[in-house]
Amino acid sequence: MEVAAKVTAKGQVTIPVAVRRALDLNVGDEAIFEVDTEAGESHAQIRKAADFMALAGSVPVPDKWFGADWPTLRAAAWAQ
């Protein structure tokens, strides 16, 4: 998909609705711009930033570490 958007005098761009829908971008989401200047031809790609809080609870915690405080977990990790 190719969609054009103009850059304002302040350097701002409104992300077109088709792009926002395709990337599932919503108010408050962060967008990542990746710029590639290889081979003398510059181009950029935009993607939705990962929501790391959405990953909470996705990694199983062994019973012996469940509820442990951060200093205890960090000390145990360094010990290993």
Side-chain angles (χ1 to χ4, degrees):
M1 165 189 340
E2 278 191 27
V3 182
K6 291 189 179 196
V7 178
T8 69
K10 289 183 174 184
Q12 298 172 334
V13 176
T14 298
I15 300 171
V17 69
V19 175
R20 291 194 314 264
R21 285 182 180 150
L23 297 177
D24 190 29
L25 285 171
N26 300 294
V27 174
D29 287 344
E30 290 188 6
I32 304 293
F33 293 87
E34 295 178 11
V35 179
D36 184 5
T37 57
E38 296 285 319
E41 186 176 319
S42 298
H43 68 275
Q45 294 181 338
I46 182 175
R47 64 180 166 84
K48 185 176 182 175
D51 179 8
F52 291 107
M53 293 307 291
L55 298 174
S58 63
V59 176
V61 177
D63 289 337
K64 70 177 185 175
W65 297 116
F66 190 79
D69 61 14
W70 179 245
T72 301
L73 293 171
R74 189 170 62 180
W78 278 103
Q80 289 186 17

